[in-house]
Amino acid sequence: MGDVQRASPSDLTPRAIADDLRRLPVHHEHYADALMVAHLIVFDLGLSIRSGGGGAILPSILINMAEVFEGYMRRVLADGLSNDGRIEVKDGNKGGDSGAKVLLFDPVQEGLKNPDATPDIIIEVDGKPSLVIDAKYKAAPNVPDRSDVNQVIVYGERYGTARVMVLHAGRPSTELCGSIGGFQVYNGMTNLNATPIEDEEAAFVAAVRALL
């Protein structure tokens, strides 16, 4: 997005946005709804549902906040740990060079479907997985839910990492819950309501760096 410039006041008028909508290529007509929603957000507009005398047909947009939270925390860690060339933050939900998705069973019984292991964040040190993190967009409990712990333990075993974390969007700090066999299970937390959020991000990066 480095080539995207800030909009001038004349670019943000209703007429300018309407002109943009009319100029959309046929294969980009689906951009229209997104642009209309962006217009409402930029101008802090909304509907007065208690008033009468008019009607409106507006587009809607659904945002999967769980995916947003995962991507946000992955980016926070990637940026915060980028000054150490030994460390690489990868997305376990996809394959390829930037991803770390693997098959769950190794080997698998012949004839059976082999599902993917898809932890949200894999942190590698010197090319080897060092920490598995699975993000949960919910308030942080004192102890992660049993099903979430079971999930990260499986990921830890599959990726060969001794430290695993369930990451929540809640109160600050990161705590060691305890050990299960050869695994240390951490309750990761970041407070999305913190002000300034940059300090909260830096604190979480420091907590993760200490585990690597």
Side-chain angles (χ1 to χ4, degrees):
M1 303 292 286
D3 294 331
V4 178
Q5 299 177 352
R6 287 188 175 276
S8 66
S10 61
D11 294 327
L12 299 177
T13 64
R15 180 178 294 277
I17 293 174
D19 289 341
D20 288 339
L21 293 176
R22 281 194 292 268
R23 290 194 296 266
L24 285 174
V26 174
H27 56 285
H28 283 164
E29 288 181 347
H30 56 284
Y31 286 6
D33 286 350
L35 286 169
M36 292 170 67
V37 171
H39 174 246
L40 296 178
I41 295 172
V42 168
F43 286 93
D44 197 22
L45 299 177
L47 293 177
S48 177
I49 61 176
R50 298 183 183 277
S51 300
I57 299 176
L58 296 174
S60 60
I61 183 169
L62 298 177
I63 300 175
N64 186 331
M65 290 305 298
E67 291 185 2
V68 172
F69 179 60
E70 294 168 12
Y72 164 64
M73 296 311 303
R74 193 182 302 114
R75 175 49 53 192
V76 165
L77 288 171
D79 290 346
L81 299 170
S82 62
N83 59 349
D84 190 332
R86 302 175 307 119
I87 299 175
E88 189 170 4
V89 178
K90 292 190 173 182
D91 184 351
N93 294 294
K94 63 182 184 180
D97 293 339
S98 63
K101 181 171 65 175
V102 298
L103 294 175
L104 181 61
F105 297 114
D106 182 26
V108 66
Q109 180 67 29
E110 185 177 355
L112 295 182
K113 181 179 179 181
N114 197 352
D116 293 322
T118 55
D120 297 318
I121 303 171
I122 299 289
I123 301 181
E124 295 183 354
V125 179
D126 294 326
K128 296 181 179 180
S130 179
L131 177 65
V132 170
I133 302 175
D134 210 54
K136 306 296 179 184
Y137 185 65
K138 56 186 177 183
N142 289 330
V143 177
D145 293 343
R146 176 66 178 274
S147 59
D148 295 337
V149 172
N150 292 348
Q151 185 179 32
V152 292
I153 288 293
V154 169
Y155 288 154
E157 178 64 34
R158 183 64 183 86
Y159 284 85
T161 61
R163 292 174 174 173
V164 296
M165 177 186 294
V166 182
L167 174 59
H168 299 90
R171 54 194 171 87
S173 78
T174 293
E175 302 168 349
L176 173 63
C177 298
S179 297
I180 300 176
F183 298 98
Q184 290 181 311
V185 180
Y186 288 85
N187 192 11
M189 291 166 278
T190 186
N191 182 10
L192 299 181
N193 293 322
T195 303
I197 191 63
E198 292 81 5
D199 290 349
E200 182 71 8
E201 293 172 351
F204 179 68
V205 170
V208 169
R209 189 190 298 274
L211 301 180
L212 302 178

